[in-house]
Amino acid sequence: MPQYQELACGGQVLDIDTALKDGILGCGPEPGDGALGDGGKQPVELRKMMDELDAAGDGGGDEPVPAVFICPISLEPMVDPVTLCTGQTYERASISRWLALGHRTCPTTMQELWDDALTPNATLRQLIAAWFSRRYTRFKKRSADFHGRAADLVHGLRGTAVPRRQPLKGKARIAALQELRSLAATHQSVTKAIAEAGGVSLLTSLLGPFTSHSVGSEAVAILVSGVPLDADAKAALMQPAKVSLVVDMLNEGAVDTKINCVRLIRILMEEKGFRPETVASLSLLVGAMRLVRDKRHQDGVAAGLELLNSICAVHRPARSMIVSIGAVQQLVELLPELATECVEPALDILDALAAVPEGRTALKDCPRTIPNAVRLLMRVSEACTRRALSMLWVVCRMVPEESAPAALEVGLAAKLLLVIQSGCGPELKQQASELLKLCTMNCTSTMFLAKCKLTKTIQ
């Protein structure tokens, strides 16, 4: 089989398998001998191609990168391959670091090096460049096709297609939006083409009081897929009628739609001109809590917690509204079941709600506040321990004669001793000491000593 396969266009593609079989992957000429004809620019251009393919998630396309192209040290495709005296080839930067550390052996074979010269493997470099060039050309062609298709869909939805037609309606509109969403989700670069074709203003205009949820859900999904939104677009999206539709979909849509609605609201909240009262809606808060309570979808739980946390931070009056929908008791009861990455946001919300009188009362009245907070001490992170201690401090100070014995009963004393003896920060240790002192003042010495048994608490 020939090493080069002729193409219809007159070019050639180097057949890698045959090249390897025929043993042509030896060391090539030294730089400057004119064999490469690239003026030393090839590694730079090759790295740019690799980086662009990686950024697009298309490093190898449908084919895996040939193993011979991978550096045994970095496990990444080589850009500037060099060969040692043992015949093993490495990326220049990787083997140079190895040698600079004082090693005098081959990393792959562990043979002692009788010569530490690094000989450029120009043939392998050409093979790598040819393979990635072919992949890069295909990637660019597909990208151009996807960009063109996205622009066509936007023009069809706007009614600006050539030849000019009426904007798509009904099922045709939904089908076009679904295809556009799929393109944006699969190829990140398509989002720029959507914006350049006027897609942002189109999608914004589709959201309104008379928009069906099937159209609205697709429009929101595209808007949060990475399409660049300028200040004018965000201002338009903050119109009451559009926010109302988003809130309706947050309450009634599918889980993916709910998550996308949360993401859109959070994007709007980051805008300088955002009005905090926009999120002061019971319907919005109830929708977010429904998402948090749906334990079947962890992405939804995380999204709902992030939204509630953001609302507590930007609009203090909303905290009382969040308490009024029963969020305190629901969050406290969910704490033991939350994924590790969701515990801290939930505690942040509870800490913010404890800043208002209604929130403190709700924490005191919830029967699971003390046992669930004690359970979190020294469990997840120092930040979680700090938040849990704050919750316990709030409750124990409000009704010390009732809360202190109940807290000791579930192992608080031993946990506080662990915090004091741990490597936590001095402020956290001080808070634990003060809470421990509060407990000793509201129970008998016999009870306190009995509840300080570490073995029982740890078990």
Side-chain angles (χ1 to χ4, degrees), residues 196-261:
E196 291 174 349
V200 175
S201 60
L202 163 72
L203 296 169
T204 302
S205 68
L206 290 178
L207 300 178
F210 304 109
T211 303
S212 67
H213 285 192
S214 54
V215 171
S217 62
E218 298 297 337
V220 170
I222 299 169
L223 286 169
V224 300
S225 65
V227 176
L229 300 176
D230 58 21
D232 291 338
K234 292 178 181 178
L237 288 168
M238 282 189 277
Q239 294 174 9
K242 300 183 187 298
V243 173
S244 178
L245 173 65
V246 173
V247 172
D248 286 345
M249 292 190 292
L250 172 60
N251 280 278
E252 301 172 11
V255 173
D256 289 343
T257 298
K258 292 180 178 181
I259 294 174
N260 288 331
C261 289

Side-chain angles (χ1 to χ4, degrees), residues 67-248:
V68 73
F69 294 171
I70 305 297
C71 172
I73 298 177
S74 67
L75 301 181
E76 297 288 339
M78 291 180 282
V79 175
D80 189 9
V82 293
T83 303
L84 292 178
C85 58
T86 59
Q88 301 297 320
T89 301
Y90 304 91
E91 173 63 31
R92 181 186 294 276
S94 298
I95 192 62
S96 295
R97 281 193 296 268
W98 170 268
L99 296 175
L101 291 172
H103 300 293
R104 288 298 177 263
T105 55
C106 175
T108 301
T109 66
M110 297 310 294
Q111 291 176 269
E112 186 174 349
L113 298 176
W114 59 90
D115 184 358
D116 60 1
L118 304 179
T119 306
N121 194 328
T123 306
L124 179 57
R125 188 169 67 184
Q126 289 174 342
L127 283 170
I128 296 171
W131 192 87
F132 275 99
S133 294
R134 181 179 60 188
R135 174 61 52 196
Y136 185 75
T137 301
R138 291 178 181 174
F139 162 71
K140 280 297 188 181
K141 184 176 184 303
R142 288 199 308 271
S143 296
D145 292 342
F146 293 139
H147 293 178
R149 179 56 181 161
D152 289 344
L153 289 169
V154 171
H155 289 307
L157 289 164
R158 296 181 63 192
T160 56
V162 179
R164 192 172 184 84
R165 298 177 181 175
Q166 291 296 317
L168 296 176
K169 301 289 184 181
K171 293 182 179 180
R173 171 188 282 177
I174 295 174
L177 287 170
Q178 288 174 340
E179 185 178 352
L180 197 59
R181 173 174 57 83
S182 177
L183 287 172
T186 309
H187 309 280
Q188 187 59 39
S189 60
V190 168
T191 56
K192 184 178 179 181
I194 293 174
E196 291 174 349
V200 175
S201 60
L202 163 72
L203 296 169
T204 302
S205 68
L206 290 178
L207 300 178
F210 304 109
T211 303
S212 67
H213 285 192
S214 54
V215 171
S217 62
E218 298 297 337
V220 170
I222 299 169
L223 286 169
V224 300
S225 65
V227 176
L229 300 176
D230 58 21
D232 291 338
K234 292 178 181 178
L237 288 168
M238 282 189 277
Q239 294 174 9
K242 300 183 187 298
V243 173
S244 178
L245 173 65
V246 173
V247 172
D248 286 345

Side-chain angles (χ1 to χ4, degrees), residues 431-442:
Q431 190 176 12
S433 298
E434 292 176 0
L435 186 55
L436 190 61
K437 182 178 178 180
L438 181 64
C439 290
T440 62
M441 296 171 60
N442 290 275

